[in-house]
Amino acid sequence: MKNYSLYNITGQIRKKLFSSESLLVRIFNDPQPIPRKVPDYMRKKGGILYWTGALIMITFIYEIITGLVILIYYEPSNPYVSTESFINSVPFGSLILTTHLYAAYAMIFLIYVHLLRNLFVGAYKKPREIQWITGIVLLVMTIGLSFFGYSMSGDALAADAVGVGQTIAGGTPSIGTYVRTIFFGTGTSLTLFQSMLAWHIILAAGVGFLFAIHFFIAEFNTIMPSRKEAKYRAPALDTDPGTYKPWFPYNLMYMMQYLVIVFGAVILIPSLLAISPGIPPLFSPFPQAAAGAALPPGFPSYPPWFLLFVYKELDFTIVTNLTPFWSTVIFVGAPLLYLLLIPFIDRKPTLSMVDRPLTVALAITGTIYLIGLSTWGALSPHIQEHTPEVLAFFIIPAAAAILLSYYTAGRVREGRMDVRTEIPLMVLLAMTGLTAFILGLSISTVMASVTGSSLAALVLMATAVAVEVSIAMGVIYGIIPDGKPLEIPWIKKFPVSAVLGFGALGILIFISFLPVGSVYNQSLYGIGLGIIFILAGMMIRVYRKEAYGE
Amino acid sequence: MQTEDSVKSPEGKEGLESQSRRSFLKMMMVFAVGAAAIGTMRGGIQSLARLPPQALNTFPSLTLVNSSGAPIKTADIPINSALGVLFPYPLTNEPNFLLRLGDKTGKDVAVTPQKVSIPDTGGSFLSPGGVGPYKSVVAASAICQHAGCLFPQLRFYPPTSSSYPGLIQCGCHGSQYDPYKGFSVVSTPARSPLPNVALSYDVTTDTYQAVGMIGPVIFNHSNDLSGGTAAKSSTSTVTEQSA
């Protein structure tokens, strides 16, 4: 091992790839049953954290279905007009396009959730290193896929995002022109949109293919059991003691439940946004004004929200001497490199967060950077930021997170604190943060122009924040007991399920009479359909409880 | 669903009551999931199943012109030409033959309106007949009614030709039509005559106008006026294509 001659290194690689211990060889020679059975606790309360990958898959399926419909209508020679006419003239076009956008948003958001969850629980550790690396590659591919998809509408925001993308790609040392023409065509509008459409589809196919590999390795390595089961030691493997329930119908129904709920959410949310006034361009489900058209004064030129962090780093005076290409390499490349290498940096077998305070602190810091840079980019786009502020932004959260992590880890180790039971609370706090952010946006909307609808939005969001804060306080101070499974008596289950089942039928009948000629009616249809999906998900939940006792 | 029904609920509830509860829940679940599926299906089907847009509501009157925009005169139309003398009508993706029919000696033949049967439907129509000073100028869709083949596969063979004299023959699958008899079917596999173009002839200026379509619908169109774009001007340009 000490001899690093070239021959030795290639020998090592060959051994890694083709020895009888290599993942590749083991998968081919000893294929595992797919899909695997899983322990019951993964389908019970809180078990959703074991299925974040499945949720991503569900959004990806939704994307493929809607994307193929849009593909039939999209004209690269006429991107903006064909997008607008898809929205306005094709029956359900508006619903399909806006939900395609929001399912992509949901997919990216869920990928971050999946990434963080696996980072916190140490899922990248032996034997899941390769699985982790394919996941990071999938993240990058999905962001690229979404960038091209977002840019294909040819509206003002897309033109701006494409401009930034072209500058970054064109700045690649010595082969910039080639990289730019590969991704963005030869300079004409037709080649631009033709190649963006092509890359959108190529990357979608790539994501599908790599996902299959990711999934196959995951099945081979078994789903990661709860860390308690694994005694907080890697390798954490799940072995069926012979008591696991069969995949059909238990897991199938569980997956169906989440499939209809996720579909419902991605149909419902953009439909609600579509009929709400005063939605900022960043979250509008519709394309903005055509590229090159006269824009309203003060109209911000935003990239899609999931790229805002890249956008903001270009505003730092500290990097103005660098080209956009190199600042992207530093600000995006460095975290990615860290994520790719983490299985080989954090090699200790412990899965306990208390024993890995630095990893946990860096994960929290990264999350703060991502959200912070994005919010900063949204609130002050294109405004130069001077070095002291930038340094403060980067140093303070990192220092705070590292100090707090070590402090908390010490307290927990001494047995004076228990954070393990607080996962629902953390999720609630995260949701409260998000709602508060939207509340802030609606306050700024009201400041800009006081209308009935903007006031209504303000009141709604303020109420949501108040409710979330009250529940959080209630849980913290022990007013609301946590975590006891409630046994719902039949006398309540019967009317609830009747409301769910007949309610869904009733809404279906109602929306069936909606003429879908207008965008507004399609949004109403989307709201109704989204609610039906969520009712169906709840109904499956009730059924699983009664029939399977889960 | 043998497996689910045989599963014991945690409280050990079993028997008829538990069964009927489950059936009820199952029914509600089917209702809700079914409603979601039907609502989605309507969206999917309706967004894909669209009719081609109607480009025009009535047949336009388009003056036949040459490539420089001057109206075609009778002398400009060659008698018994084997070339593809074509003009688009009523939409730009609907080409038609413009034929000046003659006999073997090259003299104009007057084409009289006649009843043309449509074997496919069992119906018939009255062909518009020839126009012009000699009643010899006729026009019809240049898209084969069998499989949509175009010129030069579908072409007119003059009466002097050794093969298919005086007929329009399609090289793709062998359909034959008789332009002297309202483009009626002479030989299958086509089961429908070529749709006739109604021409109007202005004696004082010696010009021709296409004013309508008579007979079956043009191949692959849901009607003659949809599934394409309308001409931007009130003229249709006659082009001459060689094989």
Side-chain angles (χ1 to χ4, degrees), chain A residues 159-197:
Chain A
D160 205 62
V162 169
V164 175
Q166 280 177 319
T167 314
I168 294 172
T172 316
S174 62
I175 51 164
T177 310
Y178 297 104
V179 175
R180 196 175 61 218
T181 49
I182 286 171
F183 290 110
F184 298 104
T186 54
T188 62
S189 166
L190 179 59
T191 57
L192 171 68
F193 287 97
Q194 191 104 53
S195 46
M196 291 204 297
L197 172 63

Side-chain angles (χ1 to χ4, degrees), chain B residues 185-201:
Chain B
V185 179
V186 174
S187 173
T188 51
R191 291 181 49 76
S192 177
L194 293 175
N196 287 221
V197 180
L199 296 173
S200 101
Y201 174 66

Side-chain angles (χ1 to χ4, degrees), chain A residues 73 91 250 511 514 525 543, chain B residues 4 7 26 39 42 47 50:
Chain A
Y73 289 89
Y250 301 97
I511 61 175
L514 271 180
Y525 192 93
Y543 180 77
Chain B
E4 336 172 353
V7 173
K26 211 181 272 181
R42 178 178 165 204
S47 65
R50 64 220 149 115

Side-chain angles (χ1 to χ4, degrees), chain A residues 400-481:
Chain A
I402 292 171
L403 286 175
L404 266 174
S405 298
Y406 274 95
Y407 173 72
T408 315
R411 300 266 293 174
V412 172
R413 228 179 275 131
E414 290 160 21
R416 285 201 262 160
M417 200 176 179
D418 191 5
V419 288
R420 260 167 241 151
T421 55
E422 309 293 342
I423 288 172
L425 179 64
M426 310 251 172
V427 173
L428 180 67
L429 286 176
M431 269 172 59
T432 313
L434 186 70
T435 328
F437 178 65
I438 301 173
L439 173 67
L441 286 180
S442 58
I443 290 174
S444 66
T445 315
V446 171
M447 303 274 262
S449 70
V450 183
T451 61
S453 48
S454 62
L455 274 177
L458 179 69
V459 171
L460 185 72
M461 294 320 296
T463 316
V465 171
V467 168
E468 282 166 341
V469 169
S470 321
I471 297 175
M473 300 291 272
V475 173
I476 289 168
Y477 290 105
I479 302 163
I480 300 168

Side-chain angles (χ1 to χ4, degrees), chain A residues 217-484:
Chain A
I217 299 176
E219 286 285 313
F220 186 83
N221 284 334
T222 74
I223 191 163
M224 187 174 161
S226 88
R227 286 173 299 149
K228 206 167 153 193
E229 296 277 314
K231 312 251 183 314
Y232 293 92
R233 304 289 294 175
L237 298 174
D238 187 56
T239 41
D240 181 1
T243 55
Y244 288 180
K245 291 180 184 166
W247 204 89
F248 178 87
Y250 301 97
N251 253 30
L252 180 74
M253 291 302 274
Y254 187 74
M255 286 292 96
M256 286 311 292
Q257 179 187 326
Y258 279 107
L259 184 119
V260 292
I261 289 175
V262 170
F263 276 20
V266 299
I267 293 171
L268 183 59
I269 294 169
S271 303
L272 282 171
L273 291 179
I275 61 166
S276 318
I279 302 293
L282 200 55
F283 296 107
S284 166
F286 296 113
Q288 303 297 314
L295 292 171
F299 186 86
S301 48
Y302 282 142
W305 62 266
F306 53 86
L307 285 176
L308 271 174
F309 71 101
V310 186
Y311 202 62
K312 191 60 203 170
E313 43 98 350
L314 300 180
D315 290 342
F316 297 156
T317 50
I318 201 171
V319 295
T320 39
N321 291 333
L322 297 169
T323 60
F325 173 79
W326 284 111
S327 49
T328 307
V329 165
I330 291 168
F331 283 96
V332 180
L336 276 178
L337 193 66
Y338 169 71
L339 288 173
L340 281 173
L341 292 180
I342 195 171
F344 311 105
I345 295 170
D346 181 16
R347 302 181 67 122
K348 281 183 290 179
T350 177
L351 298 177
S352 165
M353 280 198 253
V354 173
D355 297 332
R356 310 181 286 130
L358 188 63
T359 312
V360 171
L362 288 180
I364 294 172
T365 312
T367 315
I368 295 172
Y369 285 170
L370 191 65
I371 297 174
L373 276 175
S374 305
T375 317
W376 202 359
L379 297 179
S380 54
H382 279 319
I383 293 169
Q384 292 278 302
E385 304 296 348
H386 297 291
T387 310
E389 291 142 42
V390 173
L391 286 180
F393 173 81
F394 279 104
I395 291 171
I396 294 172
I402 292 171
L403 286 175
L404 266 174
S405 298
Y406 274 95
Y407 173 72
T408 315
R411 300 266 293 174
V412 172
R413 228 179 275 131
E414 290 160 21
R416 285 201 262 160
M417 200 176 179
D418 191 5
V419 288
R420 260 167 241 151
T421 55
E422 309 293 342
I423 288 172
L425 179 64
M426 310 251 172
V427 173
L428 180 67
L429 286 176
M431 269 172 59
T432 313
L434 186 70
T435 328
F437 178 65
I438 301 173
L439 173 67
L441 286 180
S442 58
I443 290 174
S444 66
T445 315
V446 171
M447 303 274 262
S449 70
V450 183
T451 61
S453 48
S454 62
L455 274 177
L458 179 69
V459 171
L460 185 72
M461 294 320 296
T463 316
V465 171
V467 168
E468 282 166 341
V469 169
S470 321
I471 297 175
M473 300 291 272
V475 173
I476 289 168
Y477 290 105
I479 302 163
I480 300 168
D482 55 9
K484 288 278 178 313

Side-chain angles (χ1 to χ4, degrees), chain B residues 7-234:
Chain B
V7 173
K8 287 174 189 168
S9 54
E11 307 84 42
K13 272 184 291 182
E14 272 209 281
L16 217 58
E17 201 199 340
S18 169
Q19 286 286 343
S20 64
R21 282 177 182 184
R22 267 182 220 179
S23 307
F24 178 75
L25 290 180
K26 211 181 272 181
M27 188 170 80
M28 288 302 120
M29 195 165 65
V30 169
F31 278 3
V33 175
I38 292 168
T40 312
M41 236 146 57
R42 178 178 165 204
I45 292 169
Q46 229 176 312
S47 65
L48 287 178
R50 64 220 149 115
L51 287 175
Q54 196 76 16
L56 291 167
N57 290 318
T58 52
F59 283 103
S61 293
L62 303 184
T63 306
L64 304 186
V65 297
N66 63 21
S67 53
S68 53
I72 295 269
K73 309 273 182 195
T74 308
D76 298 333
I77 312 171
I79 299 183
N80 287 341
S81 173
L83 299 173
V85 183
L86 302 167
F87 65 96
Y89 183 85
L91 303 180
T92 51
N93 65 350
E94 294 166 328
N96 300 280
F97 288 117
L98 181 64
L99 299 175
R100 185 172 164 195
L101 299 174
D103 58 14
K104 279 185 183 168
T105 60
K107 283 215 175 87
D108 286 284
V109 171
V111 180
T112 49
Q114 52 195 283
K115 199 175 137 185
V116 180
S117 63
I118 307 173
D120 193 30
T121 60
S124 64
F125 65 95
L126 188 69
S127 73
V131 296
Y134 315 104
K135 304 277 178 212
S136 61
V137 177
V138 292
S141 173
I143 308 174
C144 182
Q145 285 282 307
H146 169 238
C149 288
L150 304 168
F151 183 84
Q153 278 74 32
L154 181 74
R155 62 191 298 178
F156 175 63
Y157 292 82
T160 49
S161 162
S162 55
S163 48
Y164 322 114
L167 295 178
I168 288 177
Q169 197 263 357
C170 182
C172 290
H173 307 94
S175 301
Q176 293 172 22
Y177 308 89
D178 188 345
Y180 295 83
K181 291 176 182 162
F183 298 89
S184 55
V185 179
V186 174
S187 173
T188 51
R191 291 181 49 76
S192 177
L194 293 175
N196 287 221
V197 180
L199 296 173
S200 101
Y201 174 66
D202 187 335
V203 189
T204 52
T205 55
D206 188 24
T207 57
Y208 293 84
Q209 279 195 321
V211 295
M213 299 293 296
I214 298 170
V217 175
I218 298 171
F219 182 81
N220 229 358
H221 287 252
S222 55
N223 70 58
D224 294 339
L225 300 174
S226 76
T229 41
K232 292 214 168 55
S233 64
S234 62

